[in-house]
Structure formats: C-alpha cells, structure tokens
C-alpha cells in the first residue's frame, strides 16, 4: 500500500529495518508511529508512518509532517512526526551506531592503533 503513495522525490528512502517499532521510547503515549518511507510532501517535509494505538489491533498508514525542530541552527531537523511526545530524534541513542562505535574502538585497541584526537 505504501508503494502507491505518490512522492515528489526521484528516490524513496525506505525503513532499513524489517521489524518496525515506535520511535518514541521515553514517555508514555498511546499513538505509535514507525517510520516506513519518504513522504508525499517536500514542503513541509513529510514521511509515511505505520501507525497504531495501544490496545487496538488495527494499523494504518499516515503521511505526517516531520517535526524539523533543531537544537542548533545548522543541525539536521528532527525526522519524527510533528508534535510528537518526548524528545526529538537526535536526542535518542542509536543503539546500532553506539555498538558499532564501541566495536571499532575495541578493534583499534586490540590492534594497538590510536587515532589522533
């Protein structure tokens, strides 16, 4: 169904994960949204989300405006949907990135390589 939603972009970015999960993890909420793909609007930017509510087995697709809040003017904008609860995307820890960085640090240490700081 998501493939049928038109987009102004030449290429569509799809969620890299095969298991989709809600992006908000730090506050209680009943509306959940998992990023699925690039949205149908460029201005304001939007993304397509798989959405569901607590206790409801039904799921739906929604093309939601992106938050775009920035901690600093040159930072990329938050890609979670507009008016989301909790923190913005850049304030969450990215477990795969943290794990990859720790693994790379350990490999460098095992090889006796130190990078300039």
């Amino acid at each position: 169904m998501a493939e049928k939603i038109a987009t102004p972009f030449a290429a569509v970015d799809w969620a890299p994960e095969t298991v989709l999960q809600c992006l908000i993890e730090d506050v209680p909420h009943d509306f959940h949204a998992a990023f699925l793909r690039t949205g149908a609007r460029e201005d304001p930017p939007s993304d397509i989300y798989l959405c569901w509510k607590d206790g409801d087995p039904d799921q739906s697709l929604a093309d939601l405006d992106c938050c775009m809040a920035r901690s600093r003017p040159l930072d990329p904008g938050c890609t979670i949907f507009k008016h989301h609860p909790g923190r913005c995307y850049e304030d969450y820890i990215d477990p795969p990135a943290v794990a990859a960085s720790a693994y790379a640090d350990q490999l460098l240490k095992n090889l006796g390589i130190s990078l300039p700081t």
Side-chain angles (χ1 to χ4, degrees), residues 10 46 48 59 105-106:
S46 69
I48 308 296
Q59 297 175 335
D105 290 345
Q106 187 61 47

Side-chain angles (χ1 to χ4, degrees), residues 31-116:
F31 174 77
H32 303 281
F35 171 78
L36 184 59
R37 57 153 269 207
T38 304
R41 291 185 312 280
E42 189 172 5
D43 189 22
S46 69
D47 284 324
I48 308 296
Y49 290 88
L50 176 67
C51 305
W52 66 97
K53 291 187 178 184
D54 281 345
D56 187 347
D58 293 332
Q59 297 175 335
S60 61
L61 295 179
D63 186 29
L64 303 174
D65 289 348
C66 297
C67 172
M68 298 308 292
R70 291 173 166 79
S71 298
R72 294 177 299 272
L74 297 179
D75 285 350
C78 174
T79 56
I80 300 175
F81 57 90
K82 195 171 193 172
H83 306 300
H84 62 84
R87 298 177 284 170
C88 283
Y89 187 77
E90 66 273 2
D91 294 330
Y92 286 107
I93 295 171
D94 181 1
V98 171
S101 179
Y103 182 65
D105 290 345
Q106 187 61 47
L107 283 175
L108 291 172
K109 181 179 175 184
N110 291 349
L111 295 169
I113 300 171
S114 60
L115 298 176

